[in-house]
Amino acid sequence: MSIDPRFPQPQTPDPRARATRNRAIAIGLSAAVVAGLVAFGSYLLLENSEANEKSDEASAAQDGKHPGGHGDSHGNASGGAIEGLKSWDAAKLGRQHVAGSVDYPMKPPVGGDHNQSWMNCDGDVYEKALPDVNAVHSLEHGAVWVTYNGKAADADVAALAERVKKTPFTLMSPYAGQEGAIMLSAWGKQVAVDSADDKRVDQFLAEYVQGAQTPEPGAPCTGGLATVPQ
């Protein structure tokens, strides 16, 4: 059969060109799938992050935590607010070392200028009254000071003493001049309780033993005065 030169003849497809085109299509599809998976994974990660953040905010609100400071209804590790809790502005409580006595505006004191020597507060129970200026230094180190007067029942005093002995960064002593029969004090914080089994004892200890109110976190409760100064 003769070929008419006036009419172009169909070209036979090049197998190599077809293979190259197929590879390009396959690579393009793979890239699209990968990009889609990355985008979906990022979306899930963002959703989970936002959900966790909202959950943390809800938990903080439920626990009574207030950003920027603690109020009188501050929550604690045992749950709920500490009823009757009194607070003082920590910025207004002096922290200078002084040689003499200090006239504190509250009894027992919850902070202020104090003696350079602290009372040992590693679960120490003292049978005699402590000098305010030494006990306040213990509060500066993050201790909770448990005090009682003559109105406290002997059984409550004994039970509290056993509790203090088992709790680092606490100390206990009689305090005749206080208003409540049993009181717990930390730096800038104080509460009067009705008995040794009052739930506020656990609440206060959980919240303020080396709590966020501590002016000198990491300072020791040993190496101070082990006996009441004469």
Side-chain angles (χ1 to χ4, degrees):
M1 181 181 69
S2 61
I3 298 175
D4 191 342
R6 291 175 299 174
F7 300 97
Q9 299 302 310
Q11 300 295 321
T12 301
D14 187 350
R16 291 175 297 178
R18 180 181 299 174
T20 300
R21 184 173 63 253
N22 290 341
R23 283 197 299 270
I25 293 173
I27 291 172
L29 289 174
S30 299
V33 171
V34 170
L37 291 175
V38 170
F40 183 69
S42 299
Y43 171 78
L44 289 179
L45 182 62
L46 180 61
E47 285 291 300
N48 289 336
S49 177
E50 291 178 351
N52 291 336
E53 190 171 298
K54 291 179 181 179
S55 177
D56 290 342
E57 290 175 356
S59 297
Q62 185 175 6
D63 289 343
K65 296 176 181 177
H66 306 288
H70 305 311
D72 285 352
S73 59
H74 182 58
N76 54 85
S78 298
I82 302 177
E83 182 181 355
L85 177 68
K86 295 181 179 180
S87 300
W88 286 261
D89 186 353
K92 296 181 180 179
L93 297 174
R95 294 180 53 200
Q96 299 298 316
H97 288 175
V98 296
S101 61
V102 176
D103 184 17
Y104 296 104
M106 74 293 289
K107 292 187 179 299
V110 298
D113 295 340
H114 49 269
N115 191 273
Q116 65 178 357
S117 299
W118 61 89
M119 297 302 305
N120 282 348
C121 43
D122 193 29
D124 292 86
V125 176
Y126 300 92
E127 295 182 357
K128 296 181 179 180
L130 305 177
D132 286 348
V133 289
N134 301 107
V136 167
H137 196 160
S138 300
L139 302 186
E140 187 181 39
H141 288 195
V144 167
W145 185 15
V146 180
T147 54
Y148 59 95
N149 61 19
K151 299 178 183 178
D154 291 342
D156 286 330
V157 173
L160 287 170
E162 289 303 311
R163 176 65 185 276
V164 167
K165 290 176 182 178
K166 298 176 183 178
T167 309
F169 280 84
T170 62
L171 69 164
M172 179 175 173
S173 71
Y175 201 102
Q178 68 183 31
E179 182 177 353
I182 301 169
M183 301 183 73
L184 289 83
S185 304
W187 189 272
K189 306 290 181 179
Q190 189 172 80
V191 68
V193 300
D194 298 324
S195 63
D197 58 2
D198 190 312
K199 72 175 185 179
R200 292 173 294 176
V201 174
D202 288 337
Q203 290 179 318
F204 197 93
L205 292 174
E207 185 69 23
Y208 297 118
V209 168
Q210 292 186 291
Q213 84 291 340
T214 304
E216 292 185 1
C221 250
T222 57
L225 298 176
T227 58
V228 179
Q230 299 298 325

